[in-house]
Amino acid sequence: MVSITAGQENIAKRSARKPARSHRPYSGYRTALWIYAGAFYTFLYGPLLMIVLLSFNNSEIVGFPFQGFTTRWYDVVFASPALLKALGNSVGVGILAAAIATTLALSLAMGFRHQFRGKSIVLYLILVPIIIPGIIGGIVLLIFFGFSGVRSSLWTTVLVAHVNWVLPFAFLTLFPRLHGFDRALEEAAMDLGARPWEIFTRIVFPIIRPGVIATALFSFSLSFDEFIRTIFVSGFDRTIPVQFWGLIVDELAPELPAMAVLIIVISIFSSLVGFYFMWRASRSAATYARKAS
Amino acid sequence: MTAVTPDRIPAKTKHRRSIKDGGVKPIGRPIWLLSPGVLWLLLFGLAPLAFMLMMSFWTSTIFGTKPDFSFDNYARVLVTELYRDQLFKTLRIAFMTTAMTVVISYPVAYLLSRLHGMQKALFVLMMFLPFWTSYVIRAFVWLPILGRNGAINNALQALGIIDTPIDWLLFNEGAVFLGLVYVYTLFMTLPIYLSLEKIDPALVEAATDLGARPASVFRRVILPLSWPGVLSGCIMVFLLSISAFVTPQLLGGPSGIMYGNVIASQFLANNNWAFGSALSITLVAIVVLLLLVSSRWIGLQHVFTGGRNS
């Protein structure tokens, strides 16, 4: 059988970091490593930069040669009602899915601070949506809702698919935040007679707030980019990746690179802001730890 | 701040100091905290899956899918050469993708773990960014690279190496392999990096001080300690690759399609839900089996948090 430890100790251990020391005796290896890393990052970013370049290509076909600079594909993207509709759908469902998933995950993570029977079973349950292959995650909802008579649409099936997908990640991001922090303040408040709800709103939540915001932003980004589950349950409502897919499969439309750039910018932007909050969260956790000791 | 009146204190604190470990019980009742999430997951996570398992024993005809209890669907999955071959081919591609991503990720993860300060922050951030870019886009970018009007053909023509565009770059198994490696490499690099990052430099120093050569420090200290990260990455990449749909659909052509495309076509084209369910459950069974086997070495939740146990 699978053995699952509570995982708390391991996650807590991470915060106790050793000061870094440098090892640089073998400079030949290092040069080779740097050259290799350069190649790796080129492999990673080259194709993405090429798409940015192609989005400005004044040509009816997605490809080369480069026929001159134009911004008209961005005009096409922003003038297309179907595309703007899809963008609105994605943003809307992303915000709602992030809110629901973050709330559920926060509640679960608060529950996981307690010891209770069947903890590992609940953990398995939380992980089910990421263990199940994405394509199956979409299909199960298609047949489940199909047979329950729920019509596929944005605010029913797509929302459920997205919350399913995002929830485990939200939990895995929040859980260490709630475990990492020092409970002295909480205990002090309790000793001073604060009620649980007061302790949560005035002590616990303010401490973990950057972590919660980061989780919500990462969740939004995950939902915004979700495709494989959505394609099976989107019905007539298209999200941005579904719309994008349609344009590739149907005709390899010339505005695809511009659209890709737009999608990349939105999801990277929300992730970067999420990163910022994550960094603040770890910093504030460190501050509390220092104050406590 | 609300003023806390002294007379409230004893009444409130009395029943909370009762825990074995001497600490104070966390706020809230577990049952209430857990039930919203658990109910959601039971209703929308587990129940649909159970329904699919049930449906895999039903029969689909042109008139619809009817309750039944028959093993015909599974027999068809295992006996029909087409499906069996697709399954083996998909396992092969997933295995190759996993092996390739380990090889190309490890050196980079190792370098990242040796960097310091701003340099490290920058390179790690650059590692994360493409992660947050839709995989549909990351698969799509290979069309204008490998296609007839793609970057490679264009460059070769401009250099005068070829006269007419070459067609065999795209729509085959090789293109799918390349696409999968590109899309999923980061799922390997990050866990390896996280596990290397955790290694105490004192261990490396101790080994060096005791006279170990760089190669043997690497082989006997660093490599074994990064094993959880490698394992976590392998599980992630393998799971993602065997259920790939987007990449083979875009880059594979008829010869490069994978098991995921076979499953999808039962629902998007053939409307054979019962048989599609049996194909799907077979894939789920492979995934679960793989996780059960790997759980000997790595706890399930650590797979998804980058192999942080050791």
Side-chain angles (χ1 to χ4, degrees):
Chain A
M1 263 319 282
V2 186
S3 73
I4 275 223
T5 57
Q8 311 152 6
E9 313 80 29
N10 300 315
I11 291 163
K13 254 186 247 162
R14 254 184 335 124
S15 52
R17 300 184 73 199
K18 299 270 180 335
R21 263 167 282 175
S22 63
H23 296 270
R24 41 178 74 236
Y26 341 110
S27 63
Y29 286 121
R30 249 186 123 78
T31 316
L33 266 182
W34 271 110
I35 292 168
Y36 180 76
F40 182 86
Y41 278 97
T42 308
F43 173 61
L44 217 55
Y45 279 89
L48 294 176
L49 292 175
M50 196 202 66
I51 277 299
V52 177
L53 180 72
L54 284 181
S55 74
F56 296 108
N57 187 8
N58 194 3
S59 162
E60 295 290 332
I61 50 161
V62 180
F64 290 92
F66 197 75
Q67 308 269 18
F69 181 88
T70 180
T71 53
R72 71 174 158 131
W73 300 123
Y74 287 92
D75 299 337
V76 170
V77 166
F78 286 110
S80 149
L83 218 145
L84 292 178
K85 180 85 196 326
L87 187 63
N89 285 346
S90 275
V91 171
V93 90
I95 290 173
L96 199 58
I100 296 173
T102 308
T103 311
L104 291 176
L106 180 60
S107 183
L108 284 169
M110 292 288 292
F112 264 68
R113 302 201 305 165
H114 294 263
Q115 290 306 322
F116 56 90
R117 281 173 51 138
K119 199 167 185 173
S120 63
I121 293 171
V122 176
L123 185 63
Y124 278 130
L125 184 66
I126 295 172
L127 294 179
V128 160
I130 42 176
I131 291 170
I132 299 305
I135 187 167
I136 313 285
I139 291 170
V140 288
L141 291 181
L142 170 74
I143 61 178
F144 183 70
F145 285 121
F147 268 76
S148 349
V150 179
R151 249 191 54 227
S152 285
S153 76
L154 189 69
W155 301 112
T156 55
T157 49
V158 173
L159 183 66
V160 169
H162 283 215
V163 174
N164 273 358
W165 163 233
V166 170
L167 182 56
F169 289 100
F171 176 79
L172 292 174
T173 321
L174 273 177
F175 180 58
R177 297 278 145 231
L178 274 162
H179 260 282
F181 89 68
D182 182 61
R183 299 237 331 266
L185 284 172
E186 210 182 330
E187 290 179 20
M190 225 174 262
D191 290 344
L192 293 169
R195 290 189 197 86
W197 180 247
E198 277 180 296
I199 296 176
F200 178 74
T201 54
R202 307 183 65 152
I203 312 272
V204 178
F205 191 76
I207 294 176
I208 59 166
R209 186 166 42 210
V212 174
I213 297 172
T215 305
L217 285 160
F218 290 149
S219 302
F220 174 83
S221 179
L222 278 175
S223 161
F224 191 80
D225 284 339
E226 209 311 302
F227 169 75
I228 188 70
R229 294 159 187 81
T230 319
I231 185 84
F232 290 100
V233 292
S234 59
F236 294 107
D237 297 330
R238 292 179 150 196
T239 60
I240 273 279
V242 173
Q243 176 77 16
F244 187 79
W245 178 261
L247 287 179
I248 306 176
V249 175
D250 295 347
E251 47 173 341
L252 206 61
E255 69 267 27
L256 278 165
M259 205 172 152
V261 172
L262 180 72
I263 300 173
I264 292 173
V265 166
I266 294 176
S267 49
I268 285 193
F269 177 75
S270 58
S271 312
L272 272 181
V273 180
F275 250 88
Y276 169 73
F277 279 100
M278 209 61 177
W279 171 73
R280 264 188 51 181
S282 59
R283 209 184 46 165
S284 73
T287 314
Y288 280 107
R290 216 176 307 124
K291 278 180 187 163
S293 59
Chain B
M1 277 296 281
T2 46
V4 180
T5 49
D7 57 329
R8 271 174 68 191
I9 297 165
K12 281 283 164 191
T13 46
K14 211 173 13 184
H15 59 282
R16 289 214 178 80
R17 292 251 181 226
S18 58
I19 323 300
K20 291 171 231 116
D21 58 17
V24 176
K25 211 178 195 170
I27 52 169
R29 297 262 303 275
I31 180 91
W32 293 116
L33 290 170
L34 295 170
S35 35
V38 167
L39 284 177
W40 179 286
L41 288 160
L42 284 176
L43 184 59
F44 298 127
L46 212 55
L49 198 61
F51 184 66
M52 176 185 256
L53 179 63
M54 196 165 83
M55 190 185 265
S56 67
F57 298 102
W58 293 9
T59 39
S60 282
T61 61
I62 43 165
F63 305 110
T65 301
K66 291 273 174 302
D68 196 352
F69 189 75
S70 131
F71 286 90
D72 291 355
N73 296 321
Y74 285 103
R76 204 174 142 203
V77 174
L78 297 173
V79 169
T80 317
E81 211 168 309
L82 171 74
Y83 301 116
R84 212 179 42 202
D85 288 355
Q86 272 311 329
L87 190 58
F88 284 131
K89 176 178 138 198
T90 300
L91 289 170
R92 193 186 71 231
I93 294 177
F95 181 79
M96 277 162 46
T97 304
T98 309
M100 188 67 188
T101 51
V102 177
V103 171
I104 69 172
S105 291
Y106 202 102
V108 174
Y110 181 74
L111 180 72
L112 281 183
S113 73
R114 305 274 97 179
L115 296 179
H116 303 287
M118 279 307 287
Q119 204 179 32
K120 174 177 226 153
L122 181 72
F123 277 93
V124 172
L125 184 67
M126 274 174 65
M127 189 65 80
F128 266 100
L129 283 185
F131 225 146
W132 298 101
T133 309
S134 163
Y135 54 84
V136 179
I137 293 176
R138 281 185 290 149
F140 158 76
V141 293
W142 291 96
L143 288 174
I145 294 177
L146 302 174
R148 275 186 75 87
N149 301 306
I152 292 178
N153 267 319
N154 203 258
L156 291 178
Q157 274 173 308
L159 291 171
I161 297 169
I162 53 167
D163 297 325
T164 47
I166 32 180
D167 282 325
W168 49 263
L169 291 173
L170 201 56
F171 305 131
N172 56 50
E173 207 184 298
V176 174
F177 174 63
L178 178 66
L180 288 175
V181 169
Y182 182 68
V183 173
Y184 295 137
T185 291
L186 293 178
F187 288 89
M188 184 67 78
T189 320
L190 276 173
I192 296 179
Y193 162 71
L194 290 174
S195 64
L196 285 168
E197 183 62 11
K198 246 183 38 185
I199 297 176
D200 190 343
L203 289 174
V204 178
E205 252 168 43
T208 314
D209 291 347
L210 291 170
R213 283 163 205 221
S216 78
V217 171
F218 180 78
R219 197 167 49 83
R220 300 176 65 172
V221 179
I222 295 172
L223 203 55
L225 287 173
S226 61
W227 169 237
V230 175
L231 190 62
S232 160
C234 286
I235 295 170
M236 286 299 288
V237 172
F238 194 81
L239 292 190
L240 288 165
S241 305
I242 50 168
S243 43
F245 166 78
V246 168
T247 311
Q249 189 79 21
L250 287 185
L251 310 177
S255 69
I257 60 161
M258 291 171 69
Y259 194 69
N261 309 87
V262 177
I263 293 180
S265 68
Q266 304 302 322
F267 294 92
L268 297 176
N270 302 353
N271 260 320
N272 193 338
W273 286 15
F275 181 57
S277 296
L279 286 169
S280 306
I281 293 293
T282 308
L283 182 62
V284 173
I286 293 171
V287 168
V288 171
L289 199 69
L290 184 80
L291 288 172
L292 280 176
V293 171
S294 59
S295 70
R296 285 189 51 163
W297 301 287
I298 186 167
L300 195 52
Q301 82 275 35
H302 301 298
V303 171
F304 304 104
T305 52
R308 280 171 193 151
N309 71 334
S310 55

